[in-house]
Amino acid sequence: MPLRRILTAAALLITLSGCATRWVVDSDVRSFSNLPAADVAAGATYRFERLPSQQGGDGARGAAALEAMAAPALERAGLRRDDAGARYTAQIGARVTPTYSPWADPGFYPGWGPWGPGPRFGPGYGRGWYGSAWYGPGWYGPGFPPAASPWYLREVSVVLRELPSNKVVYETRARNDGPYSADSAVLPVMFQAALQGFPNPPEGERRVNIEIPKAAP
């Protein structure tokens, strides 16, 4: 069993015992940048960009929720929101896929691998999924698993485009999996992890660990 899953299991046992008050959100992050650091040092401005499916109704409400989660991370990175005078647009995405625990009995769930039957997170990132609702192109993953074996696969993304050319100057995504269902606590931290090192992040995939207060599972 991979060391990461062993450590996650140990952390979960501590939490269930009632002794833990904080936990670490570990995200696998990969970023790509063509953005000069001087632009951010000067207080670069941005506005959020929404897809047509996010313009009204549930789509708009979901987009607003994601933007509220991502805004503190963007500000921490040195970006300032200015809808009227934006130099960049920020497109925000997230996907949460509930599945079975890696420790679920495979005999009880025949045909299921350690990540369940849903889509894996990979290079072909499909933006627009959040929680149990759908806010972009594609489809939402499997139905919720039995409450006795919860596990959640998460991915967030941020894409910055320069105005007025609409050229992509920054792209980043963060992936995480674990037993906690507290998306409102985990996703903002994942956006923070995704923007670590902005505007000149390290090359390749890296692990970013951020400790936060424990929320109710």
Side-chain angles (χ1 to χ4, degrees):
M1 180 180 294
L3 178 60
R4 177 184 177 186
R5 292 185 177 176
I6 295 174
L7 294 176
T8 302
L12 176 60
L13 289 175
I14 294 174
T15 300
L16 293 176
S17 71
C19 299
T21 58
R22 305 181 70 84
W23 95 83
V24 173
V25 176
D26 54 339
S27 300
D28 294 322
V29 178
R30 189 160 191 178
S31 309
F32 305 88
S33 177
N34 293 315
L35 184 62
D39 287 357
V40 180
T45 56
Y46 78 95
R47 62 175 170 81
F48 287 113
E49 176 186 2
R50 294 187 182 181
L51 298 171
S53 59
Q54 298 172 318
Q55 299 298 322
D58 289 342
R61 286 188 287 273
L66 281 182
E67 291 164 3
M69 294 179 185
L74 289 162
E75 182 177 359
R76 181 189 292 264
L79 294 163
R80 178 172 57 86
R81 184 173 178 178
D82 183 348
D83 291 351
R87 182 170 182 179
Y88 303 101
T89 63
Q91 187 168 3
I92 307 302
R95 176 170 62 178
V96 180
T97 304
T99 185
Y100 293 100
S101 167
W103 298 279
D105 183 356
F108 188 71
Y109 309 115
W112 286 62
W115 287 79
R120 292 194 180 194
F121 296 137
Y125 168 71
R127 61 178 177 265
W129 290 268
Y130 173 62
S132 59
W134 169 70
Y135 300 116
W139 59 278
Y140 180 65
F144 282 88
S149 301
W151 201 259
Y152 302 89
L153 315 180
R154 295 181 175 90
E155 179 173 330
V156 303
S157 74
V158 179
V159 177
L160 296 182
R161 290 180 171 86
E162 187 178 44
L163 293 172
S165 69
N166 226 25
K167 175 184 176 182
V168 174
V169 293
Y170 199 87
E171 176 188 1
T172 184
R173 64 176 64 91
R175 296 177 294 130
N176 166 272
D177 67 279
Y180 300 106
S181 62
D183 293 339
S184 61
V186 176
L187 292 179
V189 176
M190 291 181 64
F191 281 117
Q192 182 181 337
L195 287 163
Q196 188 190 70
F198 179 86
N200 295 309
E203 293 186 3
E205 189 170 76
R206 61 196 185 276
R207 174 66 56 83
V208 178
N209 296 329
I210 299 178
E211 185 179 84
I212 62 174
K214 179 180 75 68

